Amino acid sequence: MNLDYMKEFVSTGLKVDSRGIWILDQTQLPQRETWLPSPHPEAMIQIIRELKVRGAPLIGVAAALQIGLLAEHGADRVQIEKALIDLREARPTAVNLMNAMDRMSDVLQSSGAAELPAEAERICLEDVRLSDGMAENGARLIGAGDFVLTHCNTGGLATVGIGTALGCVIRAARQGKGVHVFVDETRPLLQGGRLTTWELEQNKIPYTLICDNMAAALMQKGRVTRVLVGADRIAANGDFANKVGTYGLAVLSKFHGVPFYVVAPQTSVDRDCPHGAEIPVEERHPFEVRGARGAFGNVEWAHPEAKVWNPAFDVTPESLVTAWVLDHGVFDRNDVKLGALTKGA
Ligand code: MRU
């Protein structure tokens, strides 16, 4: 990218320099840190589909930067419009991707292709500020000595800032609150076991890794004081989609009286989606459930013909949420009923 400040942009999972866009291949973590170039939209679509780059805010930013690069390389309007549609469809659940592509499309219509790199940079730098707002708001809800259970990966690998749910925990830890994190391993793709542990090690925050099916026993023993999760799409009524397993944690939290918070930027809110039943849930390939693949090797433990159901996300109803932590505020159920989520900052 040409603009000077982007030449130096580096986040945990994405870099931009004078040669282009680089993605840290998250499927190889924590064993290997491999940076992949993404020279054109087709490369980025593949990278997004294979979850080499992942996390709702980060895929929106990565796609926007790719469109910015395409415009900078002199692509014509037809090529850019096609790339906007194809990138928008790379994954169906995280609305951040659609919001970012719609924003780029609006700029293309109103100001032309020359303005697209600058808009991509605005989307990228804005995500850092949104993360910071969530971290500040969420850290206030975390008390000294809290035991926080989290699911999937919601840190710097899922955004270009400090993160969503994990960002709040990292901020609270940096404030000296002495937090301990319980990390759900997050089957089938192990974003908790592979990525969240990697980030917590880097941040020197104490944690304990558990298999997803251990959360209930942990709560029964009173060892979880708060649950913080992210969101891929929040409907206007407060229902939200997040990594499959989130709904189970919400039910468990209600049963055990543990506060359950969803943390997301306003770019994860779908103003046109009235409730969770309307959120499209991605279904992925059976091999992800029949075994596991990564830099640790490839294993298949199930029968190769085993029938599989593999939804990447589930939908948690608003009735199970204690509060919605956004970049611009913390909202309770009354706020949400009055339309707080769709009003914006
Ligand atoms: O399939 P993934 O790894 O992209 O799923 C990511 C999540 O479910 C996160 O919790 C979500 O994007 C919100 S936090 C950035």
Side-chain angles (χ1 to χ4, degrees):
M1 298 238 162
N2 281 330
L3 293 174
D4 279 344
Y5 59 96
M6 275 320 267
K7 279 185 188 162
E8 300 297 328
F9 187 84
V10 181
S11 75
T12 314
L14 179 147
K15 295 198 276 207
V16 182
D17 63 20
S18 53
R19 292 176 301 159
I21 301 168
W22 298 85
I23 298 295
L24 177 61
D25 182 351
Q26 298 196 28
T27 63
Q28 300 296 298
L29 290 175
Q31 285 82 14
R32 258 181 242 141
E33 293 180 28
T34 310
W35 286 88
L36 306 170
S38 181
H40 43 70
E42 293 71 31
M44 181 60 82
I45 289 164
Q46 194 71 8
I47 283 171
I48 291 174
R49 287 207 175 119
E50 292 175 358
L51 270 60
K52 291 178 173 164
V53 69
R54 49 151 295 285
L58 187 57
I59 60 175
V61 171
L65 290 170
Q66 196 73 56
I67 293 290
L69 190 67
L70 185 67
E72 213 170 72
H73 286 169
D76 63 29
R77 207 182 179 89
V78 174
Q79 290 169 314
I80 296 173
E81 279 171 352
K82 178 177 183 326
L84 280 165
I85 293 169
D86 293 348
L87 277 162
R88 199 179 190 280
E89 291 173 353
R91 289 189 77 189
T93 303
V95 77
N96 312 60
L97 179 60
M98 292 90 198
N99 284 340
M101 293 301 89
D102 291 349
R103 202 165 138 179
M104 295 296 280
S105 179
D106 288 348
V107 167
L108 179 65
Q109 304 312 326
S110 62
S111 312
E115 192 51 32
L116 290 173
E119 184 65 8
E121 290 162 17
R122 277 191 285 275
I123 289 174
C124 179
L125 299 177
E126 180 187 281
D127 190 64
V128 178
R129 290 194 295 276
L130 295 175
S131 271
D132 199 59
M134 286 178 270
E136 226 24 60
N137 291 333
R140 275 192 217 112
L141 301 170
I142 297 174
D146 255 337
F147 290 86
V148 178
L149 174 61
T150 190
H151 193 64
C152 196
N153 170 265
T154 59
L157 284 169
T159 67
V160 283
I162 190 172
T164 63
L166 196 65
C168 303
V169 176
I170 293 170
R171 181 66 52 87
R174 287 184 187 158
Q175 290 168 348
K177 288 188 172 160
V179 188
H180 188 96
V181 188
F182 285 109
V183 180
D184 251 6
E185 133 187 277
T186 318
R187 273 287 287 151
L189 296 179
L190 306 168
Q191 289 93 331
R194 295 185 303 101
L195 309 177
T196 301
T197 58
W198 184 78
E199 287 202 41
L200 290 170
E201 287 288 342
Q202 292 202 326
N203 283 280
K204 300 192 176 17
I205 296 172
Y207 68 89
T208 306
L209 176 63
I210 60 167
C211 300
D212 302 343
N213 52 6
M214 297 167 187
L218 198 65
M219 286 196 198
Q220 191 180 44
K221 289 182 180 298
R223 293 180 62 191
V224 177
T225 56
R226 244 159 261 282
V227 175
L228 271 77
V229 296
D232 283 75
R233 190 185 297 228
I234 306 183
N237 76 335
D239 297 346
F240 71 98
N242 191 48
K243 181 53 57 196
V244 66
T246 301
Y247 170 51
L249 287 181
V251 173
L252 287 173
S253 299
K254 187 78 159 185
F255 184 78
H256 291 97
V258 176
F260 178 90
Y261 302 107
V262 54
V263 185
Q266 50 188 290
T267 48
S268 300
V269 175
D270 185 349
R271 287 154 215 261
D272 300 324
C273 178
H275 47 73
E278 308 262 313
I279 300 176
V281 172
E282 176 183 8
E283 294 210 11
R284 294 187 59 86
H285 200 281
F287 68 63
E288 294 178 351
V289 175
R290 292 192 194 120
R293 298 176 180 191
F296 47 80
N298 296 344
V299 250
E300 279 211 6
W301 50 74
H303 190 285
E305 299 304 318
K307 296 280 178 293
V308 165
W309 181 51
N310 185 17
F313 303 97
D314 59 23
V315 177
T316 299
E318 52 81 24
S319 56
L320 299 177
V321 179
T322 308
W324 291 255
V325 180
L326 269 66
D327 48 281
H328 56 289
V330 177
F331 304 106
D332 65 17
R333 193 157 305 114
N334 280 335
D335 299 325
V336 170
K337 281 198 171 41
L338 293 171
L341 297 175
T342 48
K343 276 186 193 138

